[in-house]
Amino acid sequence: MNANGKKLKERLLSSRNSYFLGALFLFLEIVVGTSIVAIIKYFSSEVSLSIVLMFRYLFCLPILVVVGLSIGGTSYFKIQNKIVMSLRSVAGLLGLSFWYLSVIHLDISKALALSQVMPIFICILSILFLSEKVGIYRWSAILVGLTGAVTIINPNAEGWYSVGLLYIFLGTLFASIMFVSLRRLGMTENPVATAFWYNLFGSIVFSI
């Protein structure tokens, strides 16, 4: 194999590894996120959601500071694209708040099933703002998943209409904006810096 062929093989392997890691992290996020919302729903009658969110953001800050300083010092926390970073912070805060509110007012299974509209929002936003190409196979998979989710939760069942529906819609919409913003930030910023400023913003808002 010549040098060009070797480089091509390395790029393909790197691409496959990145897809595998991305899928693994997404799976872990679903498992951990579901566990968190279950805990929030259990204690929702005893603890204010604003208190939960305040400690959620505050708890992350020391970890991010230690990791960032150990990797690159104070310069590691610099952000170049401040506009997109601001959009990511606001959208992330609203998305998380509405998501937690939705699981308080809806069954967790129903909220998780309804969150399947998020890929549709993400695909539309990625086309508009990132110029990404979304093929027919991906659209088909998203629509099939959404159809299955609606079938499982049975919209005709009793107790379907609730303010939780509004919360889950807003939560998925803002979460989609957040994910597209993160994708954009990933082109110029490091993940520790974006996570630090986002969590600092959230801790200040909910502490107030």
Side-chain angles (χ1 to χ4, degrees):
M1 183 181 293
N2 57 28
N4 291 332
K6 185 176 181 180
K7 290 181 180 178
L8 177 60
K9 183 178 180 181
E10 290 176 352
R11 285 198 298 268
L12 289 173
L13 290 174
S14 176
S15 176
R16 290 171 185 168
N17 289 336
S18 64
Y19 277 117
F20 172 77
L21 288 175
L24 176 62
F25 288 140
L26 181 59
F27 173 76
L28 292 175
E29 190 275 335
I30 293 172
V31 173
V32 175
T34 305
S35 302
I36 292 173
V37 296
I39 295 172
I40 289 174
K41 188 173 183 66
Y42 183 79
F43 289 105
S44 60
S45 61
E46 302 176 16
V47 183
S48 168
L49 179 60
S50 59
I51 297 296
V52 172
L53 287 167
M54 180 189 71
F55 281 106
R56 175 253 180 267
Y57 285 112
L58 283 174
F59 181 78
C60 294
L61 286 177
I63 301 173
L64 293 168
V65 169
V66 171
V67 172
L69 290 176
S70 62
I71 294 176
T74 56
S75 60
Y76 202 66
F77 295 97
K78 292 182 179 179
I79 296 291
Q80 299 179 31
N81 199 334
K82 295 180 175 60
I83 295 177
V84 178
M85 184 67 234
S86 300
L87 178 62
R88 180 262 184 274
S89 298
V90 174
L93 187 146
L94 291 174
L96 191 62
S97 300
F98 284 125
W99 167 238
Y100 285 169
L101 283 170
S102 71
V103 298
I104 291 175
H105 291 84
L106 293 172
D107 294 337
I108 294 179
S109 58
K110 187 176 289 186
L112 288 172
L114 284 169
S115 67
Q116 295 304 308
V117 300
M118 189 188 303
I120 297 178
F121 288 142
I122 292 177
C123 282
I124 295 173
L125 292 173
S126 65
I127 294 172
L128 294 175
F129 297 104
L130 301 178
S131 300
E132 291 188 355
K133 294 182 179 180
V134 181
I136 185 64
Y137 294 109
R138 190 172 299 178
W139 276 117
S140 300
I142 290 171
L143 293 176
V144 168
L146 178 61
T147 302
V150 173
T151 302
I152 290 171
I153 59 181
N154 187 12
N156 294 321
E158 184 180 353
W160 168 255
Y161 298 100
S162 165
V163 68
L165 293 177
L166 175 62
Y167 289 145
I168 191 66
F169 175 78
L170 293 174
T172 52
L173 175 61
F174 284 112
S176 301
I177 297 173
M178 178 202 68
F179 279 119
V180 173
S181 301
L182 275 176
R183 175 69 172 170
R184 182 68 178 177
L185 287 171
M187 299 176 182
T188 57
E189 321 295 342
N190 71 76
V192 175
T194 57
F196 170 78
W197 291 109
Y198 164 59
N199 282 277
L200 179 63
F201 174 71
S203 64
I204 292 173
V205 169
F206 285 105
S207 294
I208 294 173

